[in-house]
């Protein structure tokens, strides 16, 4: 099948297949989408399909109104949340949502993940924020859209690319980035940061956050204007 | 070998093979059965055989009196427990029992698993119940049947399809569902829910249950009359 | 190469290869031996060789005096401990030693593993004992033999086949059984029991041991004169 | 491509590929280098490349001034830290740095890992030291060199081959050894030691260190002049 969205579908497919490969979801518990800002459309995993049955054709293409542009299947039940993020965060090219266990644990404890070391600072120079619990009103109005709006409100006054990840209280992590694959790799990083934070606090419940000078250095090493990590 | 129960045997085989694939059992520590309500028979794993040696022929077919209808091997030592559940719960098509570590830990602590997040609520809008410890009398009368009866008593007044899983105190989890494969996937979900609950309480020992409105929403999203998850 | 001990070597090889397959050791951190009571010899893993480089020829055959009967390599540094167990426990056909993390943790805490559930009772109807710390004198005399003697002393008055496993204080687990493969499977069971006990106590630090009637029933179901597990 | 450093590149490649194989890093979170003392050069992983894309040609060869001698890619951002260790520790042939979760947890808690058992003593007869937090001044001057100097200062008065591993506070583990592969295997050992120590303290928060006589015996069994482990 020929499609104007073939490469976007393939990007979405590759990112979704990386989710189980990195151990971020069992069964069908995670999804990723890829966004094409030029065309104003995203491609996302269909709802409830096992990763082993996915192919480029099964990805669902939608516009930012949530209208299906191409695809025979029902999109992920989290699609509206992805859309709210693309609309609000402008410069991002991918979103990922998983139920990875350690990130979910922090979300269920409804606590931000403190920045205890350089592994965390390599991803963001701040704690990973946790939204408030969604209200009964927002949930009744439109649960998935409300979840996205809760994230956007939590990021008021922040640059979402400086902290490309969040915990939705009682639910789990959402991550985003320049591409769908970067969003999935952010989800893997977040899961490790969450795991390391739990382990650290099991050794010393009053472990101190990483000092500001180290936190800033690590983030800038990878992301600042003088970044010198990778081959870019 | 031709058999009137070939497809039931194959369903049971596929479900049993999924147990080690999902990391729910080492050695021979888990079993699943598939039930054919029309014919009134179940097919179950033979006792003590490694998963790698199973095939459709090695599955044992029994009626609800526990009489072997077809099969050369001795059925799982937990067979009578499965049968009690099929007799009591009516509409179920599969049962699974494992010794997955985190679900067992809650069973050994003899505590229900609180619903701390949406991962749990996607499976059931209530805590996962834990039976009382089996009495010396029930054990002496018929241990495996008594285990099943303990589960049934624990579900008095509940819809077993609303909470398709239980912890048997001091023992481990049993799960059930519309098919044998769904029962095994329920066992995988339960293991993750159990793991997340332990991790959450290690972050905050007084973590609050998920509010009623979110719990109900998630369960209904997947299971209620307005379910909009999957392609069904 | 033809050898009078070919099948014993192959039994030892298969058991040693099962150690990394079951996740019981990284690098070279575990060994198993197979014993031929008729011939009075054991075959054991050579010292320090990665599992991927083992073959039947590399197994070392020794008599119960510790004399190498056949084999070009140096035997496992734990060989004398294995020999003490074969001499003292009479009816066993295999021994296994690993550094699996959760069993080691209990050994390092120098505590027996309480029997908190049926997974444990399926293996033994008692706590898994922990030896005292080896004395400086016993260590100076012959460390590996002293380790074996410590185990034997810990089992004074016990049937080693009723509890085919022990923790050596500050060190780690040793397991044994009717064959080398059964000893390795016992090591896998012990690691799971150790993990489940840690998880259980993290949920409830005062979790109660399994009641005597359930503990006895489970052990007898698998091992007693009326055993009805497996196809045997 | 023919190179004077082909075998050094291949040694570095093999060691880097072992990092994900042993589960010591996700994504690109670990690196190893191999040192040729004769030629005064090291070969190290390029920065930010996934392990699956590495080959011998992509390894970067540098001298001990940090000048690239051969290679088209930018070396690991941790290269200067490796160089400081080669200059200071003289007799080592390999260095490894990972973000393995349990070792990082101790580094984030800024605590040495106590020697609680023989698994640890097989690697070193002392706690695994933890550096102080890097000062703002050392960080501003040259972060990666400063990290190396912090390690060297922590080892003042110690033989780095008796304790071939360290935790950098707030960051993670560095290990070294006679070869790059030995450094990586040291990183795997350290991760297990770190995990076992956390598990042990979860069972008994006041667990005692291994007595001196056992600690010394185990280390000497593998490393002392009378070592009798392995085939060497």
């Amino acid at each position: 099948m020929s499609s104007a969205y073939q490469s976007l579908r393939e990007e979405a497919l590759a990112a979704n297949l990386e989710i189980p490969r990195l151990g971020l979801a069992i069964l069908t518990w995670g999804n990723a989408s890829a966004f094409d800002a030029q065309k104003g459309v995203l491609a996302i995993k269909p709802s409830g399909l096992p990763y082993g049955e996915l192919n480029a054709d099964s990805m669902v293409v939608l516009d930012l109104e949530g209208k299906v542009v191409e695809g025979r299947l029902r999109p992920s039940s989290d699609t509206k949340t992805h859309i709210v993020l693309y609309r609000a965060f402008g410069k991002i090219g991918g979103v990922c949502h998983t139920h990875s266990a350690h990130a979910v644990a922090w979300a269920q404890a409804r606590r931000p993940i403190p920045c205890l070391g350089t592994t965390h600072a390599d991803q963001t120079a701040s704690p990973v924020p946790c939204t408030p619990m969604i209200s009964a009103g927002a949930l009744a109005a439109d649960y998935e859209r409300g979840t996205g709006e809760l994230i956007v409100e939590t990021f008021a006054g922040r640059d979402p690319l400086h902290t490309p990840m969040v915990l939705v209280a009682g639910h789990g992590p959402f991550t985003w980035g320049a591409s769908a694959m970067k969003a999935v790799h952010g989800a893997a990083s977040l899961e490790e940061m969450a795991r390391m934070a739990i382990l650290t606090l099991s050794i010393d419940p009053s472990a101190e956050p990483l000092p500001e000078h180290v936190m800033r250095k690590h983030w800038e090493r990878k992301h600042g204007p003088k970044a010198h990590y990778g081959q870019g």
Side-chain angles (χ1 to χ4, degrees), chain A:
Chain A
M1 168 173 130
S2 155
S3 155
Y5 309 113
Q6 190 61 23
S7 73
L8 192 69
R9 286 168 174 284
E10 278 166 11
E11 187 194 338
L13 174 67
N16 277 290
L17 294 180
E18 190 85 346
I19 292 173
R21 201 176 290 137
L22 291 173
L24 299 173
I26 62 162
L27 307 175
T28 61
W29 295 7
N31 51 69
S33 66
F35 182 56
D36 182 328
Q38 295 274 319
K39 298 181 177 145
V41 296
L42 63 144
I44 194 165
K45 180 178 179 296
S47 183
L49 246 71
Y51 299 104
E53 297 177 17
L54 298 181
N55 57 40
D57 278 2
S58 53
M59 297 296 120
V60 186
V61 181
L62 305 100
D63 64 23
L64 289 189
E65 306 301 321
K67 203 173 127 289
V68 172
V69 170
E70 202 179 81
R72 288 156 295 106
L73 299 171
R74 189 186 294 177
S76 163
S77 59
D78 298 302
T79 298
K80 284 184 190 171
T81 311
H82 289 238
I83 288 177
V84 172
L85 300 184
Y86 287 121
R87 295 178 75 121
F89 290 167
K91 293 159 297 182
I92 65 176
V95 170
C96 177
H97 170 53
T98 79
H99 285 244
S100 71
H102 296 84
V104 163
W106 285 95
Q108 292 190 161
R110 308 183 200 174
R111 292 199 184 171
I113 306 176
C115 180
L116 299 173
T118 64
T119 315
H120 182 129
D122 282 338
Q123 307 302 321
T124 178
S126 82
V128 178
C130 184
T131 69
M133 182 61 62
I134 194 166
S135 69
L139 184 148
D142 188 328
Y143 175 54
E144 291 80 10
R145 199 184 68 205
T147 297
E149 287 166 355
L150 208 54
I151 295 171
V152 172
E153 285 158 25
T154 301
F155 274 76
R158 276 173 185 273
D159 182 337
L161 288 180
H162 280 202
T163 305
M165 45 186 61
V166 73
L167 305 170
V168 175
H171 189 151
F174 281 82
T175 56
W176 49 85
S179 68
M181 192 59 91
K182 285 198 173 160
V184 174
H185 287 180
S189 300
L190 174 52
E191 175 62 9
E192 280 296 278
M193 291 151 59
R195 181 160 80 116
M196 289 171 179
I198 291 175
L199 290 169
T200 303
L201 295 172
S202 84
I203 297 170
D204 179 4
S206 55
E208 293 283 317
L210 195 65
E212 181 71 20
H213 65 281
V214 186
M215 192 164 69
R216 198 133 296 281
K217 174 70 183 179
H218 262 264
W219 197 77
E220 285 167 3
R221 202 162 80 135
K222 282 209 168 172
H223 307 277
K226 300 190 201 153
H228 59 97
Y229 182 85
Q231 305 296 332

